[in-house]
Amino acid sequence: MRTTTQPHPTTDDRPLVEAAQAGDLDAFNQLVGRYQRLAYNVAYRIMGDADAAADATQEAFLAAYRKLDTYQPGTSFKAWLLRIVTNKCYDALRAHKRRPTASLDALLLDPDKPDRPFEQVAPERPDEAVEQQELHELLQALLLTLPPDQRAVLVLADIQGYKYHEIAEILGIEIGTVKSRLFRARRKMRDALREHEELLPPAYRFQNRP
């Protein structure tokens, strides 16, 4: 079955944000409930550790509450919040001087054919299950080799399904920077996989590509 990303519905956060900025703690708690799962998922993909992701998420919401007066009305609250989340993840990685142990469950895209993700197919034989596990572990290891800025873009684009302009707003960078980081990240993953293409689904082995 081909994995596809889900669209991100537009939510009007303005009433809750305005109330929270006026000191309504219940309104802010509603915003937390609305975005807690998303914030944690992004943090987990960057950090790769459940406890570290939970800590980063909590720190991000605390920081967001303290910085509510800096939020600019009319802009995306979700993007503003996710920028705080990613920054907290970067801070944690720098503070602990460690590399994350994230797993790449989403499908890797070919930078030359971005509309062709790898497909995850239910194994029919035990040896296929072993090969899929080996591929999963390989993708985990390769993800660790990416710099944090490229990893964040890859997570937001290929796992969370955000568009270029959304990622640019979340990370506070130019769309061109998003594209270049994503291209480099995908190319690094793809080049590394050339040495292990026997683990790839047959349709995505490099010698079979037109």
Side-chain angles (χ1 to χ4, degrees):
M1 178 180 296
R2 184 180 295 274
T3 298
T4 57
T5 54
Q6 298 297 320
H8 300 279
T10 301
T11 302
D12 187 1
D13 297 315
R14 286 176 297 178
L16 290 176
V17 174
E18 290 174 357
Q21 287 179 319
D24 188 339
L25 183 58
D26 181 65
F28 183 76
N29 286 336
Q30 290 184 56
L31 289 168
V32 172
R34 180 175 291 178
Y35 290 115
Q36 188 169 26
R37 182 181 181 87
L38 173 62
Y40 173 81
N41 285 342
V42 170
Y44 178 76
R45 296 299 182 178
I46 295 175
M47 302 295 294
D49 177 84
D51 291 337
D55 289 343
T57 302
Q58 183 178 28
E59 288 293 327
F61 278 115
L62 289 173
Y65 184 72
R66 291 193 295 265
K67 297 178 180 179
L68 272 175
D69 60 331
T70 68
Y71 167 73
Q72 297 296 321
T75 61
S76 169
F77 177 80
K78 178 172 64 176
W80 179 79
L81 175 63
L82 289 181
R83 183 185 299 186
I84 296 175
V85 172
T86 55
N87 285 339
K88 288 299 179 183
C89 290
Y90 291 160
D91 290 344
L93 290 174
R94 285 193 294 265
H96 295 288
K97 295 182 179 180
R98 64 179 180 84
R99 301 187 68 86
T101 55
S103 62
L104 186 61
D105 297 324
L107 304 179
L108 179 64
L109 299 181
D110 179 347
D112 297 324
K113 300 181 178 64
D115 59 334
R116 290 186 59 185
F118 295 147
E119 292 182 349
Q120 291 179 326
V121 181
E124 297 180 356
R125 304 188 312 273
D127 60 326
E128 289 182 348
V130 172
E131 290 177 355
Q132 285 195 9
Q133 179 62 27
E134 290 177 351
L135 176 59
H136 178 78
E137 293 174 355
L138 175 62
L139 291 174
Q140 287 181 319
L142 295 180
L143 184 61
L144 300 183
T145 68
L146 297 178
D149 57 351
Q150 293 181 19
R151 185 184 309 115
V153 171
L154 188 69
V155 166
L156 291 171
D158 291 347
I159 297 179
Q160 294 297 329
Y162 286 102
K163 297 179 180 179
Y164 291 146
H165 73 276
E166 294 175 315
I167 299 172
E169 185 176 4
I170 290 170
L171 298 180
I173 57 180
E174 299 294 330
I175 291 179
T177 303
V178 172
K179 292 180 179 180
S180 63
R181 289 181 183 177
L182 185 58
F183 180 85
R184 288 197 297 269
R186 289 173 174 171
R187 184 172 59 185
K188 287 178 182 178
M189 300 284 279
R190 179 172 178 257
D191 289 347
L193 281 170
R194 286 183 181 275
E195 300 179 4
H196 305 275
E197 63 178 294
E198 71 279 0
L199 298 178
L200 302 180
Y204 292 91
R205 293 176 184 172
F206 297 100
Q207 67 267 25
N208 293 334
R209 290 182 177 174

